[in-house]
Amino acid sequence: MVDSLTPNLTPVNPSNLFDLSKLSKPLGEHAKRVLNALSGFEPQLPLAVAYSGGADSMALLWACHTKWPSQVRAVHVHHGLQSAADDFAAHAKAFCDSLQIPFVWVQVNAKHAPGQSPEDAARIARYQALEEVLSKEWNQEVKSIALGQHGDDQIETLVLALSRGAGLPGLSGMRAQWESAGVFFYRPFLGLSSKDLRACLSELGLTWIEDPSNSDESFTRNKIRAKVLPPLLECFPEFGATLARSAQHIAQAQSILDEVAQADLEIVGKPPQIKKLQNLSIARQSNALRLWLKLEGSTPSAAQLHELLNQIDACRTKGHHIHIKVGTKMVERQGEWLGLLQ
């Protein structure tokens, strides 16, 4: 939930933070590499950039501003989770002021609920805030926003998914683009590494913020970054690029499964008719039920879906009952069909 838009900040002199003289000089090889990553990126303009002040989003903001002068806006989300957050926002605003980039910062309540991870709570609050900012600021002309996640983030995401036994949707990794609430989100840097982005900023003489929470290994993603990625990339330097290709293949396979599930739901119905479900193979039943439940806003665990399939298989008489928790809802037999209860 957004607490406030553009609260007051203590002014910071940009000249104390950035050596902007290097920005007018010919680009070095690292800066060219980062700028070239936008060669196939053609979002609707004007474009917003989610800008934390960290290295990844600073490189993205610089590259987008360089490619589309006067067409870029910056949005900073203040999570309120650490004492240095005000300094992060002031640093971000100072950089935007130095390049005359329109800047908005928004404060959110990112505290996690019982049973929810802090990372998930912050992520959900962040995306909700970005959508809300674009619905209110700049005369509602901005419909596209770029995010700074890169190839190393993609590796972390896939390793984390593997550790959790994820299916194809999780193993397809972070999407390069998607739409939500009329806002188009993009991740143009998935083909670059963190090293690429930091080398670019060093060439440009730009100083970024190091978030101290990124070194806290009590967070699983940080532990993967510190303990797993370095030896993995040392053994397989091109692992990021090859893993990205694998993620694309997995995403294509999932897309085919979605098409099959949609076709099967057209046959069995929404809600599904039990007898028609039983005519499908177990794999296709599982696939169709996942899509039906997803459309109804519920995501089953593997164990819940397995038990539901067993109940469907056993449902051969009129007196057989089905009443089982699946995801956040209850699935029950309603005559010849499956039904959902809150």
Side-chain angles (χ1 to χ4, degrees):
M1 178 180 294
V2 173
D3 287 344
S4 56
L5 286 170
T6 58
N8 293 325
L9 282 176
T10 303
V12 174
N13 185 348
S15 64
N16 295 334
L17 297 176
F18 315 108
D19 179 10
L20 299 180
S21 63
K22 292 186 178 181
L23 295 183
S24 59
K25 296 180 179 180
L27 297 180
E29 61 174 305
H30 298 293
K32 288 180 180 178
R33 177 175 172 79
V34 168
L35 198 56
N36 286 340
L38 300 183
S39 60
F41 177 42
E42 298 296 337
Q44 177 182 336
L45 298 176
L47 170 72
V49 172
Y51 177 43
S52 68
D56 312 335
S57 60
M58 176 173 272
L60 178 62
L61 183 60
W62 165 79
C64 290
H65 172 71
T66 300
K67 183 171 182 178
W68 299 291
S70 78
Q71 291 293 319
V72 174
R73 317 286 186 260
V75 182
H76 177 88
V77 178
H78 185 309
H79 295 91
L81 297 177
Q82 51 186 309
S83 58
D86 284 351
D87 294 336
F88 298 167
H91 183 282
K93 185 177 187 303
F95 180 63
C96 290
D97 288 347
S98 69
L99 295 181
Q100 298 183 329
I101 298 172
F103 174 85
V104 167
W105 78 285
V106 55
Q107 189 158 355
V108 300
N109 178 7
K111 293 181 179 179
H112 62 285
Q116 184 183 35
S117 74
E119 301 100 311
D120 283 346
R123 176 180 54 82
I124 292 170
R126 180 166 58 253
Y127 284 109
Q128 288 177 342
L130 293 175
E131 291 175 5
E132 187 167 340
V133 167
L134 265 59
S135 73
K136 294 180 177 179
E137 296 292 321
W138 303 304
N139 297 318
Q140 302 178 4
E141 294 177 346
V142 182
K143 302 298 183 183
S144 305
I145 186 162
L147 310 173
Q149 286 97 346
H150 48 70
D152 293 353
D153 295 319
Q154 184 74 295
I155 297 175
E156 293 167 15
T157 298
L158 291 170
V159 170
L160 192 59
L162 282 169
S163 73
R164 293 172 173 171
L168 294 188
L171 295 177
S172 60
M174 294 186 295
R175 292 173 289 179
Q177 63 183 72
W178 75 98
E179 182 270 337
S180 176
V183 176
F184 293 88
F185 291 85
Y186 299 91
R187 293 184 175 113
F189 279 175
L190 291 181
L192 298 175
S193 68
S194 173
K195 185 177 179 180
D196 292 329
L197 302 180
R198 289 166 184 261
C200 164
L201 296 179
S202 295
E203 275 185 351
L204 297 170
L206 297 178
T207 304
W208 61 90
I209 294 168
E210 291 289 359
D211 186 340
S213 69
N214 287 339
S215 60
D216 183 355
E217 292 184 22
S218 65
F219 297 116
T220 304
R221 184 178 284 273
N222 290 346
K223 187 177 292 185
I224 292 172
R225 185 180 305 134
K227 303 293 187 183
V228 178
L229 287 194
L232 192 61
L233 293 173
E234 183 178 357
C235 291
F236 307 104
E238 300 302 317
F239 188 71
T242 56
L243 197 64
R245 288 200 298 273
S246 294
Q248 290 176 348
H249 296 325
I250 292 170
Q252 289 176 349
Q254 182 58 50
S255 178
I256 293 171
L257 287 177
D258 288 343
E259 290 180 14
V260 172
Q262 187 62 56
D264 284 343
L265 282 181
E266 293 297 325
I267 295 171
V268 304
K270 292 181 283 188
Q273 189 173 355
I274 295 171
K275 185 172 289 187
K276 290 183 178 180
L277 267 177
Q278 291 170 337
N279 291 332
L280 299 176
S281 68
I282 293 297
R284 287 176 66 172
Q285 286 183 46
S286 175
N287 193 41
L289 286 169
R290 280 191 183 277
L291 179 58
W292 172 59
L293 290 165
K294 178 182 178 181
L295 294 173
E296 296 293 338
S298 187
T299 303
S301 68
Q304 289 172 336
L305 187 60
H306 180 72
E307 178 58 29
L308 178 58
L309 289 167
N310 286 339
Q311 292 288 332
I312 291 170
D313 182 60
C315 190
R316 305 287 176 175
T317 64
K318 290 184 178 180
H320 188 94
H321 294 283
I322 296 177
H323 188 79
I324 178 175
K325 183 175 177 60
V326 180
T328 58
K329 300 184 178 181
M330 300 296 298
V331 176
E332 68 171 15
R333 179 178 181 177
Q334 297 177 351
E336 298 180 8
W337 290 270
L338 294 178
L340 281 177
L341 299 176
Q342 294 293 339

